[in-house]
């Protein structure tokens, strides 16, 4: 497995400002992950194939796999019956070995008449020490059969490397996808800055981490679907026999009992809360950024600075409970959950689309400027007008919108912006918003789309290189996948959100909550700090029994 090379990173691990005991736990967890991945074979649930592993024949590493197929079994009434059908299907496949190709991917799906939420299904599998993922797109028109959200456990094939996500890595993923099987998808995320030092809590994710789930639950409009996926490639030392045996073992551990979990977090006492940077250091960082922006010899017009807040509660935080709570107030947002083996869970509720591509049609969004919602309709309208007429917010928003427009024009025949500027209202926050639509010159430009649009000026700044350099010089914590692309690749279609409004939840160590804000001419460090507080409030409000203010600590 390519990720076993992570031992080369250890001298560069950036340990966050935590206690000595927590640092030791981080180190032990990192070493444990590296140790496990050096083993050529692990116990059942850790067995998988890294699709980015190097093979001797480079051509074979990029050409489509020999078999790509979807099989649909007869509909059943319940999840328990679907598991039984899939177990029977696996037994038949194992006995007959119907595929003669040296590589392939096969999806077997069972429609379920019962309506079950994907997040409840995933919560019911929390006993499994498997890689897990969840992705819920925005609400669409209610059409029977529409895919609402997916949850997956285990990986039929995963894709991860310590090196930056490259065109070869993209090709390694694409070879397992096909327009004929649109629901075979690779779900995952990419680091905000692959060249920055990696802290121990992000180590297991690599520079990117994508997975095609072994067992996947699809929540549909008016029904559900349970699926299994088998992937094999002799060139990657993962045979059909390996793949089907690992899948069989995983499916035997999947629970058929679905528990509908309450969409509220239990009251939790916070032992400590640490901000990096502290409020004092934040003021210094913002003032320095404003000086850079104001210099005559600097081209920098915007930089997005971020904050990491570690909260340690008295009881472990259940990341799926948090995500379920976020989903309730998600509105027109994406919810995601990604957890490699032996790793924390990266979760989020992001309103920002990076891009959605279907065939040659592509959409992207500009989102900038932030205000709270008003407690009354009248106050909400006043706040909306203030945001629409604010010169400072207009500068920030225009930079974002025009940068995305130029990047799309480089790969599209035509780009339209409609609306050019309006308010997008979310349950707790409102933003300036514009939608951009284009027609690609070629579907093969997908890697170019991702490379071009990330990092967007909404989470990095403008110009990109100057903003990234200032971020690297200023921030003393690792953003990891925060503000990076989060989403999926599929045959003929792909969709990515920007991984903001997110947190990294780690058993015994609490959670790291991330938030950022754009600094432009006219920014005020005190107001920007208040904006960070507003953005993290969707997480902190779930920890209802708070400490007295004097016990909260800012780490310097």
């Amino acid at each position: 497995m390519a990720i076993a090379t992570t031992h080369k990173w250890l001298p560069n691990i950036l340990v966050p400002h935590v206690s000595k005991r927590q640092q030791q736990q981080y180190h032990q967890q990192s070493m444990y992950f590296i140790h496990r991945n050096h083993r050529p074979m692990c116990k059942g649930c850790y067995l998988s194939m890294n699709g980015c592993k190097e093979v001797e024949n480079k051509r074979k590493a990029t050409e489509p796999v020999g078999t790509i197929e979807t099989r649909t079994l007869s509909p059943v009434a319940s999840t328990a019956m679907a598991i039984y059908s899939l177990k029977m299907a696996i037994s038949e496949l194992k006995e007959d070995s119907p595929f003669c190709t040296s590589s392939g991917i096969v999806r077997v799906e069972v429609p379920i008449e019962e309506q079950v939420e994907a997040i409840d299904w995933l919560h019911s599998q929390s006993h499994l020490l498997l890689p897990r993922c969840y992705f819920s797109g925005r609400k669409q028109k209610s059409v029977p059969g529409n895919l609402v959200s997916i949850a997956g456990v285990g990986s039929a094939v995963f894709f991860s490397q310590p090196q930056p996500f490259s065109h070869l890595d993209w090709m390694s993923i694409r070879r397992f996808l096909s327009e004929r099987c649109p629901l075979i998808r690779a779900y995952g995320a990419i680091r905000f800055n692959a060249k920055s030092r990696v802290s121990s809590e992000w180590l297991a994710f690599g520079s990117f981490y994508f997975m095609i789930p072994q067992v996947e639950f699809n929540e549909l409009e008016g029904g559900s679907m349970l699926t299994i996926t088998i992937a094999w490639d002799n060139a990657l030392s993962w045979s059909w026999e390996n793949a089907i045996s690992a899948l069989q073992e995983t499916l035997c551990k999947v629970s058929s009992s679905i528990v509908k979990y309450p969409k509220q977090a239990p009251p939790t006492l916070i032992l400590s809360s640490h901000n990096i940077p502290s409020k004092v250091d934040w003021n210094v960082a913002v003032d320095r950024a404003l000086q850079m922006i104001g210099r005559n010899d600097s081209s920098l017009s915007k930089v997005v600075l971020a904050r990491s807040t570690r909260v340690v509660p008295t009881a472990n935080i259940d990341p799926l409970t948090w995500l379920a709570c976020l989903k309730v107030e998600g509105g027109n947002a994406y919810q995601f959950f990604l957890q490699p083996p032996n790793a924390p869970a990266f979760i989020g509720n992001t309103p920002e689309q990076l891009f959605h591509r279907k065939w040659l049609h592509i959409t992207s969004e500009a989102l900038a400027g932030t205000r709270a919602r008003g407690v009354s309709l009248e106050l909400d309208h006043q706040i909306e007008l203030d945001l629409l007429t604010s010169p400072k917010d207009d500068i920030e928003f225009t930079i974002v919108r025009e940068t995305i427009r130029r990047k799309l024009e480089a790969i599209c025949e035509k780009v339209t912006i409609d609306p050019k500027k309006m308010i997008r209202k979310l349950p707790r926050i409102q933003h300036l918003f514009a939608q951009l639509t284009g027609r690609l010159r070629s579907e093969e430009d997908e890697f170019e789309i991702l490379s071009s649009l990330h990092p967007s000026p909404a989470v990095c700044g403008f110009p990109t290189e100057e903003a990234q350099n200032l971020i690297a010089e200023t921030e003393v914590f690792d953003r990891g996948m925060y503000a990076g692309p989060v989403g999926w690749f599929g045959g003929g279609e792909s969709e990515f959100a920007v991984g903001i409004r997110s947190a990294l939840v780690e058993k015994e160590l609490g959670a790291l909550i991330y938030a950022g804000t754009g600094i432009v001419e006219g920014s005020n460090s005190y107001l920007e700090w208040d904006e960070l507080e507003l953005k993290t409030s969707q997480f902190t409000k779930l920890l209802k029994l708070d400490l007295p203010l004097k016990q909260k600590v800012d780490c310097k």
Side-chain angles (χ1 to χ4, degrees):
M1 295 169 67
I3 209 161
T5 59
T6 50
H7 66 283
K8 295 178 182 177
W9 303 3
L10 285 177
N12 295 322
I13 288 177
L14 176 63
V15 179
H17 292 225
V18 295
S19 69
K20 187 174 181 180
R21 179 185 66 83
Q22 289 173 329
Q23 290 188 25
Q24 289 171 343
Q25 285 180 295
Y26 280 136
H27 184 69
Q28 289 167 0
Q29 288 172 352
S30 302
M31 292 304 294
Y32 177 67
F33 174 79
I34 293 163
H35 171 71
R36 287 199 73 94
N37 284 280
H38 271 303
R39 295 169 66 181
M41 292 192 69
C42 313
K43 284 190 176 180
C45 65
Y46 293 101
L47 278 171
S48 192
M49 169 174 64
N50 189 345
C52 289
K53 183 179 176 182
E54 288 188 13
V55 297
E56 291 182 9
N57 189 331
K58 293 286 185 183
R59 184 178 62 83
K60 278 194 172 185
T62 57
E63 67 183 15
V65 294
T67 297
I68 302 180
E69 185 177 316
T70 295
R71 296 184 174 189
T72 303
L73 305 181
S74 299
V76 296
S78 67
T79 304
M81 293 176 69
I83 290 178
Y84 177 79
S85 293
L86 291 171
K87 284 181 178 178
M88 293 300 100
I90 291 176
S91 296
E92 290 174 13
L93 288 171
K94 194 170 185 179
E95 186 176 334
D96 295 342
S97 299
F99 306 107
C100 301
T101 54
S102 62
S103 63
I105 186 164
V106 177
R107 173 184 166 103
V108 183
E109 54 190 30
V110 183
I112 304 171
E113 295 165 4
E114 145 183 62
Q115 180 83 55
V116 176
E117 289 188 42
I119 199 164
D120 286 333
W121 180 85
L122 189 58
H123 223 146
S124 302
Q125 315 306 323
S126 58
H127 63 288
L128 297 178
L129 297 176
L130 290 167
R132 299 185 289 172
C133 68
Y134 174 89
F135 191 84
S136 179
R138 289 174 171 164
K139 289 182 179 178
Q140 300 176 352
K141 291 181 180 178
S142 185
V143 177
N146 263 5
L147 184 61
V148 176
S149 56
I150 77 98
V153 296
S155 57
V157 53
F158 74 96
F159 309 88
S160 188
Q161 294 269 35
Q163 294 84 16
F165 187 64
S166 69
H167 186 269
L168 183 61
D169 296 319
W170 175 73
M171 290 293 291
S172 297
I173 296 173
R174 292 283 295 176
R175 64 190 293 261
F176 286 90
L177 308 176
S178 169
E179 295 172 1
R180 302 191 310 276
C181 304
L183 291 182
I184 297 178
R185 296 173 174 177
Y187 297 91
I190 301 172
R191 282 179 64 82
F192 170 75
N193 184 356
K195 296 179 181 178
S196 63
R197 290 194 298 167
V198 181
S199 61
S200 54
E201 69 268 19
W202 287 106
L203 193 62
F205 289 80
S207 181
F208 58 93
Y209 186 90
F210 287 89
M211 58 182 279
I212 299 177
Q214 264 184 322
V215 183
E216 182 181 318
F217 191 90
N218 292 173
E219 178 185 340
L220 309 172
E221 291 279 3
S224 313
M225 189 156 60
L226 189 66
T227 79
I228 54 172
T229 301
I230 312 153
W232 71 98
D233 190 342
N234 293 343
L236 296 175
S237 304
W238 190 250
S239 67
W240 161 263
E241 290 77 18
N242 291 144
I244 201 161
S245 294
L247 173 60
Q248 199 167 30
E249 187 168 349
T250 296
L251 192 59
C252 285
K253 297 175 182 177
V254 169
S255 173
S256 59
S257 300
I258 309 298
V259 179
K260 193 169 181 63
Y261 286 85
K263 304 300 188 287
Q264 59 183 34
T268 305
L269 181 67
I270 299 177
L271 288 176
S272 63
S273 175
H274 301 274
N275 290 317
I276 303 175
S278 67
K279 195 168 184 179
V280 172
D281 291 339
W282 171 261
N283 293 340
V284 172
V286 172
D287 290 344
R288 180 169 177 253
L290 289 172
Q291 289 174 7
M292 290 284 291
I293 290 168
R295 279 171 44 179
N296 292 330
D297 60 344
S298 172
S299 59
L300 189 69
S301 58
K302 175 185 177 180
V303 63
V304 178
L305 297 180
R307 185 185 76 183
S308 166
T309 302
R310 178 174 286 283
V311 291
V312 180
T314 53
N316 279 327
I317 295 169
D318 181 356
L320 281 170
T321 298
W322 263 22
L323 188 63
C325 294
L326 297 177
K327 187 172 172 62
V328 168
E329 69 162 50
N332 200 19
Y334 299 91
Q335 290 81 39
F336 61 84
F337 175 106
L338 184 65
Q339 186 172 30
N342 301 315
F346 180 47
I347 67 171
N349 180 53
T350 174
E352 188 170 352
Q353 181 188 83
L354 186 63
F355 74 89
H356 175 228
R357 178 190 74 84
K358 189 165 187 178
W359 313 122
L360 292 175
H361 181 79
I362 184 171
T363 60
S364 185
E365 294 175 355
L367 203 71
T370 303
R371 293 288 190 282
R373 296 296 304 271
V375 294
S376 66
L377 285 174
E378 184 179 3
L379 181 57
D380 196 57
H381 184 60
Q382 289 177 359
I383 295 171
E384 175 184 336
L385 288 176
D386 176 65
L387 181 55
L388 280 169
T389 56
S390 163
K392 177 261 178 186
D393 289 292
D394 185 67
I395 292 171
E396 183 183 350
F397 175 72
T398 303
I399 289 170
V400 173
R401 185 189 63 200
E402 293 307 301
T403 303
I404 295 173
R405 178 185 62 79
R406 286 193 296 270
K407 289 182 175 182
L408 285 178
E409 284 177 344
I411 52 178
C412 291
E413 294 174 354
K414 183 183 178 182
V415 176
T416 57
I417 306 175
D418 186 26
K420 294 189 181 298
K421 179 180 173 181
M422 66 170 286
I423 295 290
R424 166 169 281 176
K425 291 183 182 289
L426 299 168
R428 302 167 65 78
I429 288 177
Q430 47 191 323
H431 301 284
L432 294 173
F433 164 80
Q435 184 170 65
L436 298 92
T437 304
R439 181 173 175 80
L440 294 168
R441 297 189 182 95
S442 167
E443 284 185 49
E444 294 303 313
D445 287 339
E446 191 167 58
F447 177 77
E448 196 66 32
I449 297 166
L450 193 57
S451 303
S452 176
L453 292 178
H454 172 73
S456 84
V459 293
C460 179
F462 184 81
T464 302
E465 188 174 351
E466 286 84 343
Q468 268 193 327
N469 288 340
L470 184 56
I471 290 169
E473 292 169 8
T474 304
E475 293 179 0
V476 295
F477 66 93
D478 179 14
R479 288 192 181 191
M481 267 68 178
Y482 162 71
V486 180
W488 51 270
F489 292 109
E493 186 176 7
S494 56
E495 183 166 24
F496 281 85
V498 182
I500 56 173
R501 315 293 151 80
S502 55
L504 194 68
V505 183
E506 198 163 10
K507 193 172 182 179
E508 308 294 343
L509 296 175
L512 285 163
I513 305 170
Y514 302 93
T517 180
I519 309 302
V520 297
E521 186 179 355
S523 290
N524 178 294
S525 62
Y526 297 98
L527 295 178
E528 302 299 342
W529 183 269
D530 289 343
E531 184 174 317
L532 295 177
E533 294 286 295
L534 178 62
K535 288 175 176 176
T536 59
S537 65
Q538 66 171 333
F539 289 101
T540 56
K541 75 181 180 65
L542 301 176
L543 303 171
K544 294 176 181 176
L545 295 179
D546 214 339
L547 281 179
L549 289 176
K550 66 180 180 180
Q551 294 188 47
K552 290 188 176 181
V553 180
D554 276 345
C555 283
K556 292 188 177 181

